[in-house]
Amino acid sequence: MLKCVEPARTFEVRANARTKHIELRSHWGKCSHYYFYYVHPEFGWMHVRLQSWLPFTIHAVINGRDWLGRQLQRAGVAFEKRDNCFVDVGDISRAQELLDAQLRTQWEPTLDGLRQLAHPRHERIFGTDLPHYYWSADETEWATDVLFRSSSDLARLYSPLVRHGITTFGSDDVLQFLGRRPHVQMFSAAEIHSDLKTRPEGTRIKHVLNHNSIKMYDKQESVLRIETTVNDARGMKAYRASEADPDGPQAWRKLRQGVADLPRRAQVSQAANERYLEALSTVEVIESLKTTAASLVRPARWKGRRVRALNPLALEDGSLLQAISRGEFTIQGFRNQDLRALLFDQPASPTTIEGHASPPRSHACCGCCAVTK
């Protein structure tokens, strides 16, 4: 347990000149705060911050990865964890199921239990007038980890990803990543900026929209992490009933800061991570086109017969693909004689094709109408 003096929202008694009465007013002051650090049997390494004066505000900080480690141990799933990162998991599907189950936690009784752990005198202080705590999510961080088989695989790809993110993604992209329309509307203010920092642990790129952000960084040399941080839920929506009428019709309403909307906040954050990963998929690889296409231009078997591959990098196949892609063939298709005129300088001698005297239109896939010189 650690103790320090910090700013806090508290109360004081002041006189009201208009009503001639004293009243309780909320204001910013400072008082002692206690930090309780636990190795919790369920959540693992975590801490609780308790304000020592009214209204006894409590902050509970829980790490979902430490929590998952405890879940995997109980489920008998092998894993390797370094710091706050899993570099190897024996059963990825099972681990994802356990992470999804975290969102179904009954947060109010769970957090009330943490409050009793850190502040057991709460009931004695207030007695029968025990105030109810409203639990809200001040800050959430939702990470998507991409595990690579080796550090060399990530190192080969990471530099182009960072370069693409810092030089290509603009303000419109950041707005879209974080679930906003890809333009700033009239009479609305938005502060958007991106920055790149290199630390001993690795290189991090961060895009900030007001108080929310999305960032990418490499962890433990073999994990690519995309992480969305939400400090301000305003502007986000949740499909729910009104608080005044819980059994009434549902509609798209403002996302609440309370823990009741944590599943929706996680859904919004995951969608942001996926949009960012999808945008990164356009990054050019650093290998040649010939190397990239090598696995696609190999012979294959079709209906029990060996067929040769179509190689768009070869001169003959490239010319054929360019010819059949011409706009004039879009409506009526093409004939053998149409292709001969495009592919060969000299007209070919007439040939007889078994089964029909002249090839039908758009029938260059079976092999019997092969263009011959």
Side-chain angles (χ1 to χ4, degrees):
M1 183 183 72
L2 300 177
K3 174 187 175 182
C4 64
V5 177
E6 294 180 341
R9 174 68 69 177
T10 184
F11 296 97
E12 66 178 355
V13 176
R14 287 187 178 181
N16 189 319
R18 184 178 59 83
T19 62
K20 307 300 182 181
H21 291 88
I22 60 173
E23 59 186 16
L24 199 62
R25 295 185 183 179
S26 173
H27 75 108
W28 277 102
K30 60 182 179 179
C31 65
S32 295
H33 290 73
Y34 296 95
Y35 286 80
F36 300 88
Y37 294 88
Y38 302 102
V39 181
H40 195 272
E42 182 178 1
F43 301 127
W45 181 251
M46 59 160 295
H47 79 265
V48 176
R49 174 182 179 267
L50 172 64
Q51 182 178 331
S52 66
W53 190 246
L54 290 170
F56 300 106
T57 302
I58 295 177
H59 289 80
V61 180
I62 299 173
N63 188 303
R65 293 300 194 272
D66 254 24
W67 186 0
L68 175 62
R70 301 267 169 168
Q71 292 176 302
L72 291 174
Q73 286 179 344
R74 289 194 294 268
V77 178
F79 65 91
E80 182 182 354
K81 183 172 179 287
R82 302 176 194 163
D83 193 21
N84 184 32
C85 182
F86 291 90
V87 297
D88 191 15
V89 179
D91 189 341
I92 292 289
S93 299
R94 179 57 177 156
Q96 188 61 58
E97 291 175 1
L98 294 172
L99 280 171
D100 295 339
Q102 292 180 2
L103 296 175
R104 297 190 291 271
T105 300
Q106 298 296 320
W107 285 108
E108 287 203 10
T110 300
L111 294 171
D112 283 336
L114 294 176
R115 191 269 305 163
Q116 293 174 3
L117 186 66
H119 193 205
R121 295 178 59 88
H122 190 76
E123 286 81 1
R124 187 183 303 178
I125 292 174
F126 291 99
T128 57
D129 298 326
L130 185 67
H132 172 72
Y133 269 90
Y134 179 82
W135 294 101
S136 60
D138 281 353
E139 177 183 340
T140 57
E141 297 177 351
W142 186 266
T144 299
D145 288 352
V146 182
L147 277 63
F148 285 76
R149 296 186 184 277
S150 67
S151 57
S152 59
D153 290 340
L154 176 58
R156 179 180 61 87
L157 185 63
Y158 191 62
S159 293
L161 293 178
V162 171
R163 189 181 307 112
H164 182 82
I166 199 64
T167 60
T168 305
F169 294 156
S171 298
D172 291 350
D173 299 301
V174 176
L175 287 167
Q176 193 168 8
F177 294 151
L178 293 173
R180 304 285 290 273
R181 294 181 180 179
H183 61 273
V184 180
Q185 297 179 345
M186 189 178 297
F187 307 118
S188 65
E191 181 182 352
I192 306 172
H193 70 269
S194 300
D195 65 78
L196 178 67
K197 291 185 178 180
T198 300
R199 298 186 174 95
E201 298 85 0
T203 301
R204 184 269 290 157
I205 179 173
K206 183 178 182 180
H207 312 278
V208 179
L209 170 60
N210 295 332
H211 300 291
N212 302 329
S213 66
I214 186 168
K215 55 187 175 183
M216 175 184 69
Y217 52 102
D218 53 337
K219 289 185 67 69
Q220 302 300 324
E221 299 181 347
S222 63
V223 176
L224 175 69
R225 175 169 290 185
I226 309 298
E227 182 179 295
T228 295
T229 301
V230 177
N231 294 295
D232 185 0
R234 288 179 298 181
M236 300 179 181
K237 301 289 185 180
Y239 193 72
R240 59 177 178 84
S242 171
E243 291 184 345
D245 186 13
D247 298 325
Q250 294 185 339
W252 287 106
R253 308 178 191 274
K254 290 183 178 180
L255 186 67
R256 295 168 292 189
Q257 198 82 356
V259 294
D261 280 350
L262 268 180
R264 174 57 181 168
R265 186 186 285 212
Q267 186 180 17
V268 170
S269 300
Q270 178 62 28
N273 292 352
E274 292 176 358
R275 284 190 288 267
Y276 197 88
L277 284 168
E278 185 177 357
L280 291 176
S281 64
T282 60
V283 176
E284 295 182 1
V285 294
I286 56 178
E287 61 187 8
S288 64
L289 180 59
K290 181 179 180 180
T291 304
T292 304
S295 61
L296 305 176
V297 294
R298 297 173 181 172
R301 300 196 67 82
W302 184 66
K303 293 185 177 181
R305 298 177 58 184
R306 184 181 185 276
V307 294
R308 79 174 185 87
L310 187 65
N311 186 358
L313 301 181
L315 179 61
E316 296 80 2
D317 290 349
S319 300
L320 176 61
L321 290 173
Q322 185 178 11
I324 64 178
S325 300
R326 292 172 67 95
E328 61 261 36
F329 300 143
T330 302
I331 298 177
Q332 296 184 353
F334 54 83
R335 297 173 298 178
N336 193 300
Q337 64 183 20
D338 297 328
L339 298 180
R340 289 202 307 266
L342 294 171
L343 297 174
F344 307 115
D345 297 332
Q346 299 294 329
S349 58
T351 58
T352 301
I353 301 175
E354 182 179 355
H356 45 79
S358 61
R361 292 179 179 270
S362 300
H363 192 68
C365 61
C366 65
C368 65
C369 307
V371 178
T372 58
K373 184 174 182 179

